[in-house]
Amino acid sequence: MAFSPNGQTLAFSEFANGVFSIELRDVETGSKTCTLQQTLYKITSLDFSGNGEVLVSSYSDGTIAVWQQKEDLT
């Protein structure tokens, strides 16, 4: 899991119904902001960039994904 630099968003991996997903939640309210991806591969790490505009995820198959926000979620 990873907190955005301003502490307002929590990104974490979740496993349900045989798939892994990346969830974003508002820290203050606890409400889900969005689900970024569902995959069969285990999510091994998550990290926000220093400005909070990019989230990077890595997977057990050796791949990485870079998620750039189109609007400010942090």
Side-chain angles (χ1 to χ4, degrees):
M1 80 175 148
F3 285 95
S4 62
N6 65 7
Q8 293 180 348
T9 302
L10 173 64
F12 62 95
S13 63
E14 186 169 80
F15 182 74
N17 300 319
V19 295
F20 295 92
S21 62
I22 299 171
E23 305 282 334
L24 295 182
R25 293 208 177 250
D26 181 289
V27 172
E28 188 174 318
T29 65
S31 62
K32 182 166 67 169
T33 305
C34 70
T35 300
L36 291 178
Q37 182 181 34
Q38 293 184 326
T39 177
L40 298 176
Y41 298 105
K42 182 179 178 182
I43 300 157
T44 57
S45 67
L46 295 167
D47 198 14
F48 281 96
S49 64
N51 63 6
E53 293 180 6
V54 175
L55 177 68
V56 177
S57 53
S58 64
Y59 302 86
S60 61
D61 70 341
T63 61
I64 63 167
V66 179
W67 308 91
Q68 186 169 4
Q69 297 180 23
K70 291 185 179 181
E71 59 184 71
D72 185 20
L73 297 177
T74 57

